[in-house]
Amino acid sequence: MMSPVGYTSFTGSAPDGVWGEVTQLFVAAFTAEPYNEDAIDLATIRQWGPEHLGHRGGRLVIATVNGRIVGFALAHGLDADPAWLGILAQLADSSSTASAALERPADAVVVHELAVAEDQRGRGIARGCLAALLQDRTETQTFIGVYERATEAAAIYRSWGLSELGRVPMPGDAIALRVLTAPTIELVSRLRPTNPESARMTRRTLWLSPWEWDCCGGPLETGQRVTFSVWPVDDGQRTWLTEAIGADLTAHIDGVEMHHEENPAPERLTGRLAKLSRVSIPSRLIHTKRPPLPPGVSSTPARFFGPPDSPWFAEMRPSAYVTHHETVPGPPVVEETPRIPLTRGIDHPDAQAGAEAAAAAARAAAQAAEAAARAAQTTDPPPPGEVEPRLVGYLVELELDAD
């Protein structure tokens, strides 16, 4: 049976003996692949580490097993670190999060270092150190950097709920730093599992667009094991999600499933589907008069509506009005569901049922459109439809190994 891990926090200063062991661990961790840093340079943490701990908001957390330091994390306020202020300044034009942090640097915390002894990895020690480091802090935003070549570490940080802001070249441009961030309170809540038996598991909340999964995915069910291509919720993703479902719900989303991008996804996450939810927004159909045709252009001739393999055809001329969905003010509707069916794209009962339903809907729409076209010749536009929830996507909660 493994010996338990203990965590100890230091604020402002730490004993010399602690810094001696931290220095040994730091050198061993970062002279190894993929970092390959110089041992002499790394050993200078013995001098600058206590200085950083003495900065505003300085905190050092050590993890011990049988009295031996096997992990540590060091953080302080962003306002106390000119180097990190310069890093975020390079991202300010493309990231509103970075810009906001520069405006209020005392409201952000920087995780300066995080390391675990090689023989103790896989026990959740890094996550435990970070959770203790950020517990009860007053800063609302947390930043952490990881070398671009340390792809496994970056993937673990993303699995904890941090999203990437961008890439910053370091002096000499020999290496680059990837900057990741998360709201501090949300990050702490994800780092500390509520069930001790699931200490090595973490839950990610992902956004799934219906069209992405319908085209080449398959039906999903609670408890099923899946692998997703996941992209971080960067500023661009956050903007369109906020416009679609609001800022409150967007804040709970850790990543977006997308598998149609030209470049490979930053993460391939495999795990168990813990919870599935449909997300709808209140909307209604409204009718807008078609613009007049240019001079000399004739009206569209009569055409047929309906599936080609069905005897149900409706001959009609286009209506004088077009219809589209209008979003109605109101919060999104989130409804838990045991299953996300497939409606098209694959020869599957779900797809067949979806096709039949679509055909029936097309027939009904054709008949309604024909009636509307006749009515439009002599009446005002049809009244707006009833307010109804319209599906815009799914929230997928995925349990996966984090460390």
Side-chain angles (χ1 to χ4, degrees):
M1 180 177 179
M2 288 187 180
S3 299
V5 182
Y7 297 93
T8 305
S9 295
F10 301 92
T11 302
S13 64
D16 287 345
V18 167
W19 280 114
E21 285 196 62
V22 164
T23 300
Q24 294 177 18
L25 173 59
F26 188 62
V27 171
F30 289 101
T31 52
E33 293 285 350
Y35 304 97
N36 300 316
E37 294 191 60
D38 181 77
I40 295 177
D41 288 341
L42 291 169
T44 60
I45 191 176
R46 186 66 186 81
Q47 286 75 48
W48 60 257
E51 179 184 348
H52 279 261
L53 181 56
H55 288 335
R56 202 280 302 167
R59 182 181 293 178
L60 171 70
V61 171
I62 59 171
T64 56
V65 175
N66 295 328
R68 169 195 167 207
I69 296 179
V70 297
F72 82 95
L74 175 65
H76 51 66
L78 171 64
D79 54 330
D81 195 327
W84 260 94
L85 288 169
I87 289 170
L88 292 181
Q90 296 184 60
L91 299 173
D93 290 341
S94 59
S95 167
S96 60
T97 302
S99 178
L102 291 173
E103 292 177 3
R104 299 183 300 277
D107 197 30
V109 58
V110 172
V111 179
H112 202 280
E113 301 295 346
L114 177 61
V116 174
E118 184 176 6
D119 65 333
Q120 295 292 319
R121 292 171 188 169
R123 300 185 61 186
I125 292 174
R127 184 179 59 249
C129 284
L130 188 57
L133 191 74
L134 300 177
Q135 189 69 38
D136 301 323
R137 295 199 69 100
T138 59
E139 299 95 343
T140 60
Q141 197 73 21
T142 296
F143 293 92
I144 190 169
V146 59
Y147 283 167
E148 188 171 41
R149 58 189 177 223
T151 55
E152 291 185 9
I156 290 174
Y157 294 160
R158 293 190 190 98
S159 75
W160 292 342
L162 290 118
S163 58
E164 188 172 320
L165 289 187
R167 172 186 181 275
V168 176
M170 301 305 288
D173 204 26
I175 57 176
L177 189 75
R178 292 198 176 277
V179 178
L180 296 96
T181 187
T184 305
I185 293 178
E186 293 181 15
L187 180 55
V188 171
S189 68
R190 294 191 182 104
L191 291 170
R192 288 199 177 280
T194 56
N195 177 7
E197 295 181 357
S198 64
R200 298 190 66 238
M201 301 296 291
T202 187
R203 183 175 292 197
R204 300 282 300 276
T205 299
L206 308 176
W207 176 259
L208 188 67
S209 296
W211 74 268
E212 281 271 5
W213 202 246
D214 277 352
C215 73
C216 47
L220 300 176
E221 296 183 355
T222 303
Q224 178 181 347
R225 288 192 62 79
V226 297
T227 298
F228 287 141
S229 299
V230 178
W231 295 75
V233 185
D234 57 19
D235 283 357
Q237 299 278 17
R238 188 175 292 107
T239 296
W240 71 259
L241 279 169
T242 300
E243 291 176 351
I245 60 177
D248 291 343
L249 194 56
T250 298
H252 291 86
I253 297 174
D254 304 315
V256 179
E257 193 283 334
M258 295 191 297
H259 53 267
H260 289 91
E261 303 299 306
E262 292 184 3
N263 297 322
E267 292 183 274
R268 291 276 293 173
L269 299 182
T270 299
R272 183 183 69 86
L273 295 174
K275 184 179 179 181
L276 305 173
S277 300
R278 293 168 49 91
V279 181
S280 305
I281 57 174
S283 63
R284 60 184 175 184
L285 281 176
I286 63 171
H287 308 268
T288 305
K289 193 172 181 64
R290 293 182 186 274
L293 295 172
V297 177
S298 61
S299 60
T300 304
R303 53 181 175 157
F304 292 98
F305 281 78
D309 58 346
S310 168
W312 296 88
F313 286 83
E315 185 176 4
M316 56 166 286
R317 296 183 179 277
S319 167
Y321 299 93
V322 294
T323 60
H324 66 275
H325 286 281
E326 176 187 64
T327 300
V328 177
V333 179
V334 180
E335 301 173 298
E336 187 172 351
T337 177
R339 191 169 190 266
I340 297 177
L342 177 69
T343 57
R344 57 187 171 87
I346 295 178
D347 187 15
H348 186 277
D350 282 336
Q352 297 172 6
E356 293 174 2
R363 292 194 296 270
Q367 294 167 358
E370 184 178 14
R374 290 195 299 267
Q377 298 175 3
T378 56
T379 65
D380 294 331
E386 296 291 330
V387 175
E388 296 178 334
R390 176 170 61 89
L391 177 70
V392 292
Y394 299 97
L395 291 179
V396 176
E397 295 188 20
L398 184 69
E399 284 187 351
L400 69 158
D401 289 329
D403 186 0

